[in-house]
Amino acid sequence: MYSDKVISHFQNPHNMGKIEGPDGLGEVGNPICGDMMRIYLKVGRNGKSEEFIEDIKFETLGCVAAIATSSMITELAKGKTFSEALKIEFSDVKNSLGSLPPIKLHCADLAVKALRAAIEDYKERNG
Amino acid sequence: MNDKIYLDYAATTPLDEQVFEVMKPYFSQAFGNASSVHQFGQAAQKGVINARHQVAEFLNCQADEVIFISGATEGNNTVIKGIGGNKKLAEKIGAKPHIIISKIEHECILASSERLEKEGMAEVAFLPVNSEGLVEISELQKNIKPNTILVSIMYANNETGAVEPIEEIGQFLKKINQGREQKIYFHTDASQALNYLDCDVQKLGVDLLTLSGHKIYGPKGVGALFVRQGTPVARFMDGGEQEFKMRAGTHNTPGIVGLGAAISVLKQKNNVNSNIKQLRDKLINGVLKNIPQSFINGSLEKRLPNNANFRFEGVEGEAIIVALDLEGIAVSTGSACAARSLSPSHVLGAMGLTPSQSHSSVRFSLGCQTTDEQIEKVLEVLPKIIEKLRNLSGDLNESAKIKEKAKLPDDFGC
């Protein structure tokens, strides 16, 4: 049912956990679907003084796909500037994982939404 | 697969070796069509007749009250549509037939009933269950109407193993029927019950009972439907006179012979069953003791001896299943039929569990080949899995509870 890559991220998730005092925090999901995701950001500025994702961590209550897509989105987003990170689409998450069962595609979408919510939260805090 | 641990006997069971031996000749030696007149046909027919007697003996009914079918799903469809959607019967009572089922029935009962309702063929009442997953007779009583023609309540639930009060319901309906012009027929889906419970149809007071081969160490693709004489079930499958003109189609002789053999072996399994219960109790006690925030769903007392349905707060069931599978341990969330759906279990929901509690539930079902070592292994592996997944979810479970209290709309796009 799941690709080897999905299973590998499920067994050894990357960037799991919290960031204390995060610069941005996004929480998405719905208990009725069974998947809840939270993304923590630490934001830095690069040489061109652009904001970029210096560190990123996630917490997920959900199925194998939800855990794997959360892990993958943190991999994809880490080190990226905001404008680069906002370009990550659900298909990027899916393709990076090899494949996802059709019924689990929404998990990739949820991961993208969590990242965007965290960036949004940072922007709101920093007006 | 020998080092793997199978704890999903409620989904299906391995074929008993003895049963397999009995079936073998019917594939290529006694291969005739059981309806044929020649000796090839007669040899096959002998097997069918013998199996019919074996099933009848187990159910304590007449042999001609046993109809062989492809499995419980077909049997349940036949009953609901053949009685609830029976036009002749509707004409006779001069009203739209009313059927009563419980909210925790298998999908095939629910979907068949919903179809009848949607197509305007029947009215359907869905009985609630209490927090232990049990149907209450008072609820049944409240729902009986003059046009009620069928009550269908499962004997034991596939997800929680809850054992429903079938005998009591049978007695209750018998009383009610004495004062009624239109009899209320009583059906039970006994697929999960056969291994462990008394299925004497006279004692239970049922008019119809469904059973399945592959849940009782018999072959897949075969089952039987008990239809008490005089019960008006409209034929589901047309095109032949097999099964007393009630179910057309060439007999699945090896399957039918296997079903008969499996059911006659069942009686000898009492010792095995008490061992299964001991192992199941060890599993329950070990889990509840060693894993914080773990709970058992459903009644402990009125429960099949091989079932344990746990809830681990703050973890999602599918993640537990895959993590266990990677350790070689096979379990499932509720029903195998619903494993690919995202909605929380309708059974646990009917018992009052929130969606997130349902999502955090896992079913272990033990069987003949379960050993003490296997349960030890589960008790060693499971706490670590739960701990790891809880570390991943942080305190999102609290967040989920808050969102649930806020009563989000059903349409949430997942």
Side-chain angles (χ1 to χ4, degrees):
Chain A
M1 180 178 178
Y2 285 119
S3 71
D4 291 348
K5 204 139 191 202
V6 170
I7 291 295
S8 151
H9 274 267
F10 168 65
Q11 282 191 292
N12 298 298
H14 304 183
N15 305 307
M16 65 170 262
K18 284 186 205 310
I19 294 176
E20 293 300 333
D23 299 324
L25 173 63
E27 186 183 303
V28 295
N30 187 306
I32 298 170
C33 310
D35 296 323
M36 304 269 296
M37 284 182 196
R38 202 182 271 156
I39 286 206
Y40 298 84
L41 297 181
K42 185 167 188 285
V43 177
R45 281 189 187 269
N46 64 14
K48 294 183 209 159
S49 156
E50 292 166 326
E51 287 148 322
F52 80 105
I53 297 171
E54 194 178 321
D55 196 11
I56 179 166
K57 290 217 182 310
F58 81 91
E59 287 175 325
T60 290
L61 166 56
C63 65
V64 173
I67 291 167
T69 54
S70 323
S71 170
M72 182 49 80
I73 197 122
T74 61
E75 278 296 289
L76 292 175
K78 202 169 188 173
K80 292 227 162 67
T81 63
F82 277 1
S83 57
E84 288 166 338
L86 287 169
K87 280 186 198 141
I88 300 172
E89 299 280 348
F90 94 98
S91 53
D92 299 321
V93 178
K94 184 191 94 177
N95 295 338
S96 309
L97 284 169
S99 69
L100 275 175
I103 198 171
K104 300 289 186 180
L105 280 179
H106 72 280
C107 292
D109 193 44
L110 204 59
V112 170
K113 283 184 178 147
L115 174 64
R116 290 182 184 171
I119 294 174
E120 205 49 47
D121 177 57
Y122 169 85
K123 286 183 175 168
E124 267 173 36
R125 291 184 198 200
N126 296 280
Chain B
M1 301 290 279
N2 281 347
D3 52 342
K4 297 234 162 112
I5 300 175
Y6 184 77
L7 293 171
D8 202 13
Y9 285 82
T12 194
T13 56
L15 185 67
D16 183 292
E17 289 293 334
Q18 241 180 294
V19 170
F20 190 29
E21 286 306 317
V22 178
M23 288 171 70
K24 276 179 185 169
Y26 289 88
F27 285 100
S28 50
Q29 291 165 29
F31 66 89
N33 186 324
S35 301
S36 299
V37 176
H38 47 62
Q39 291 182 35
F40 291 90
Q42 297 305 300
Q45 199 186 60
K46 238 186 204 170
V48 173
I49 291 172
N50 185 41
R52 202 184 303 282
H53 283 282
Q54 287 169 318
V55 175
E57 195 188 329
F58 188 84
L59 298 178
N60 188 24
C61 66
Q62 302 297 319
D64 60 4
E65 291 175 316
V66 174
I67 311 297
F68 289 117
I69 49 175
S70 65
T73 295
E74 183 190 327
N76 290 341
N77 269 268
T78 301
V79 170
I80 298 294
K81 295 173 186 169
I83 294 187
N86 186 331
K87 280 190 184 156
K88 267 194 201 159
L89 202 55
E91 275 167 26
K92 193 184 142 205
I93 62 171
K96 194 189 272 192
H98 176 248
I99 64 177
I100 302 176
I101 66 170
S102 82
K103 284 187 178 171
I104 60 161
E105 295 302 308
H106 187 272
E107 281 77 3
C108 60
I109 294 271
L110 291 171
S112 298
S113 304
E114 281 159 7
R115 176 189 281 261
L116 289 182
E117 199 177 36
K118 210 170 147 194
E119 293 180 353
M121 310 266 295
E123 294 174 36
V124 185
F126 298 86
L127 290 188
V129 292
N130 63 22
S131 60
E132 302 223 296
L134 302 171
V135 168
E136 287 173 352
I137 297 204
S138 56
E139 287 293 337
L140 172 61
Q141 189 164 16
K142 269 193 248 167
N143 279 280
I144 288 175
K145 305 200 332 184
N147 56 334
T148 304
I149 56 163
L150 176 68
V151 171
S152 177
I153 309 286
M154 68 196 338
Y155 200 168
N157 183 266
N158 49 321
E159 292 189 31
T160 62
V163 177
E164 300 300 334
I166 298 305
E167 197 176 334
E168 285 85 340
I169 295 173
Q171 282 166 359
F172 167 76
L173 287 174
K174 198 174 171 188
K175 241 185 258 162
I176 294 262
N177 276 333
Q178 280 167 0
R180 279 176 67 96
E181 205 171 309
Q182 173 53 52
K183 179 177 174 175
I184 301 173
Y185 297 101
F186 183 27
H187 168 245
T188 192
D189 171 3
S191 306
Q192 296 287 341
L194 236 64
N195 281 322
Y196 306 105
L197 306 175
D198 186 353
C199 289
D200 178 331
V201 293
Q202 314 308 339
K203 218 184 271 177
L204 294 177
V206 294
D207 302 298
L208 302 130
L209 179 145
T210 314
L211 62 91
S212 169
H214 75 102
K215 306 283 191 194
I216 57 169
Y217 308 91
K220 292 173 179 62
V222 66
L225 178 62
F226 157 71
V227 182
R228 189 180 292 282
Q229 241 164 36
T231 308
V233 186
R235 187 172 56 220
F236 188 59
M237 204 79 96
D238 290 318
E241 302 211 334
Q242 292 89 349
E243 295 304 290
F244 317 106
K245 299 186 185 173
M246 287 189 62
R247 201 272 187 181
T250 302
H251 286 101
N252 165 13
T253 318
I256 290 168
V257 166
L259 174 62
I263 217 164
S264 56
V265 172
L266 274 188
K267 285 188 190 155
Q268 308 155 13
K269 287 202 170 132
N270 281 340
N271 293 337
V272 181
N273 289 348
S274 72
N275 184 40
I276 289 174
K277 185 175 186 302
Q278 273 177 20
L279 293 174
R280 192 278 312 266
D281 290 344
K282 177 174 177 165
L283 174 67
I284 291 181
N285 294 335
V287 165
L288 297 184
K289 195 175 139 209
N290 297 325
I291 304 179
Q293 293 297 100
S294 62
F295 306 90
I296 191 102
N297 293 322
S299 168
L300 261 183
E301 200 188 315
K302 290 179 179 159
R303 182 185 208 104
L304 291 178
N306 74 323
N307 172 293
N309 188 311
F310 295 106
R311 185 169 88 242
F312 303 100
E313 301 239 318
V315 194
E316 207 268 347
E318 191 230 31
I320 302 173
I321 287 170
V322 174
L324 280 170
D325 191 40
L326 291 165
E327 298 279 348
I329 300 167
V331 301
S332 69
T333 41
S335 116
C337 307
R340 281 158 207 270
S341 128
L342 297 172
S343 5
S345 147
H346 69 278
V347 175
L348 299 178
M351 288 161 60
L353 267 66
T354 63
S356 60
Q357 286 176 327
S358 290
H359 278 301
S360 65
S361 296
V362 178
R363 174 187 74 186
F364 292 72
S365 49
L366 287 63
C368 276
Q369 292 167 12
T370 308
T371 62
D372 190 60
E373 292 73 40
Q374 293 179 337
I375 298 300
E376 290 279 347
K377 168 90 178 175
V378 172
L379 291 173
E380 179 201 320
V381 167
L382 188 59
K384 293 176 203 158
I385 288 174
I386 302 296
E387 194 186 346
K388 185 180 164 192
L389 291 170
R390 278 188 178 148
N391 283 338
L392 257 173
S393 71
D395 62 356
L396 276 169
N397 193 38
E398 296 308 312
S399 206
K401 281 183 193 164
I402 293 165
K403 283 197 177 175
E404 263 169 351
K405 275 200 187 128
K407 289 201 178 141
L408 288 161
D410 271 353
D411 182 22
F412 36 75
C414 65

